[in-house]
């Protein structure tokens, strides 16, 4: 799931116009950003293809960033940074947005999400495996995309007259959402 995360960020932005859109979008992808850092830092986390040519074809080894506890800790870190910059309420919101990534991943991932970092204790791995039903995943992502975009654009229109800045911002967001959905569906 990629676009679904951004759709959720757009929907939240509609209800919290003072929170910068970039911070919400980054929040929804923060676990994956740290995953990439750990992947590039010597393969601390990795992925392997399990069903090439299918939607959600990779089994991730994100034993730290995508563990339940790791996601909570990264949510607290991002939320804390947001609180320092924009206040406590925004910090809580941004932390919740980071954790929403884990919740949405729980729906789509195969059973590859550990409870504890490094899968300490060898507890069962979590994941409901919706990626194995590509049309259902595409529908959920499409709904998140459309609802988020509609709420966002409606809120922008209500807050201010249409300006070049609003049009460019909205156009960039729409392009990112459509590109992300295309990448998701085609990969």
């Amino acid at each position: 799931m990629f676009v679904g995360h951004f759709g959720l960020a757009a929907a939240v932005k509609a209800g919290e116009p003072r929170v910068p859109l970039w911070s919400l979008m980054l929040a929804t992808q923060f676990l994956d950003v740290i995953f990439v850092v750990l992947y590039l830092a010597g393969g601390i986390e990795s992925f392997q293809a399990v069903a090439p040519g299918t939607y959600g074809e990779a089994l991730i080894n994100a034993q730290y960033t995508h563990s339940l506890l790791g996601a909570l800790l990264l949510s607290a870190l991002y939320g804390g940074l947001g609180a320092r910059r924009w206040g406590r309420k925004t910090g809580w919101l941004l932390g919740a947005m980071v954790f929403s990534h884990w919740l949405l991943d729980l729906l789509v991932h195969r059973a590859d999400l550990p409870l504890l970092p490094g899968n300490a204790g060898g507890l069962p791995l979590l994941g409901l495996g919706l990626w194995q039903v590509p049309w259902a995943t595409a529908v959920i992502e499409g709904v998140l995309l459309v609802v988020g975009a509609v709420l966002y654009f409606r809120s922008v229109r209500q807050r201010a007259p249409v300006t070049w800045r609003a049009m460019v911002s909205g156009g960039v967001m729409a392009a990112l959402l459509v590109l992300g959905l295309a990448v998701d569906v085609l990969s």
Side-chain angles (χ1 to χ4, degrees):
M1 182 166 292
F2 182 73
V3 172
H5 297 301
F6 287 144
L8 182 60
V12 169
K13 173 66 177 174
E16 294 293 334
R18 290 187 170 160
V19 180
L21 181 60
W22 69 264
S23 68
L24 291 165
M25 290 188 149
L26 179 59
T28 65
Q29 294 298 323
F30 191 63
L31 298 183
D32 285 348
V33 168
I34 302 302
F35 170 83
V36 169
V37 170
L38 294 177
Y39 173 74
L40 295 174
I44 297 167
E45 293 191 336
S46 62
F47 58 92
Q48 68 184 58
V50 292
T54 64
Y55 194 63
E57 65 187 26
L59 184 66
I60 68 164
N61 177 17
Q63 302 282 313
Y64 300 95
T65 58
H66 285 66
S67 68
L68 176 59
L69 182 57
L72 288 169
L73 292 172
L74 288 170
S75 298
L77 171 67
Y78 194 88
L81 293 171
R84 283 187 69 185
R85 176 68 175 97
W86 296 294
R88 183 177 293 183
K89 179 182 175 191
T90 298
W92 278 104
L93 177 68
L94 291 172
M97 291 302 295
V98 171
F99 191 67
S100 75
H101 181 106
W102 191 87
L103 293 173
L104 290 174
D105 277 5
L106 179 64
L107 292 174
V108 296
H109 276 240
R110 291 171 176 81
D112 60 6
L113 301 172
L115 292 170
L116 300 174
N119 198 24
L123 298 169
L125 298 174
L126 305 176
L128 300 176
L130 194 60
W131 269 337
Q132 296 173 67
V133 185
W135 68 266
T137 306
V139 166
I140 289 171
E141 290 215 75
V143 167
L144 285 170
L145 168 67
V146 169
V147 169
V150 166
L151 291 174
Y152 175 76
F153 289 120
R154 189 177 291 165
S155 73
V156 168
R157 271 196 8 239
Q158 290 172 351
R159 285 193 318 270
V162 176
T163 64
W164 280 105
R165 182 178 174 201
M167 288 179 12
V168 169
S169 172
V172 167
M173 191 182 108
L176 286 172
L177 292 173
V178 168
L179 177 64
L181 183 60
V183 167
D184 258 1
V185 170
L186 296 176
S187 63

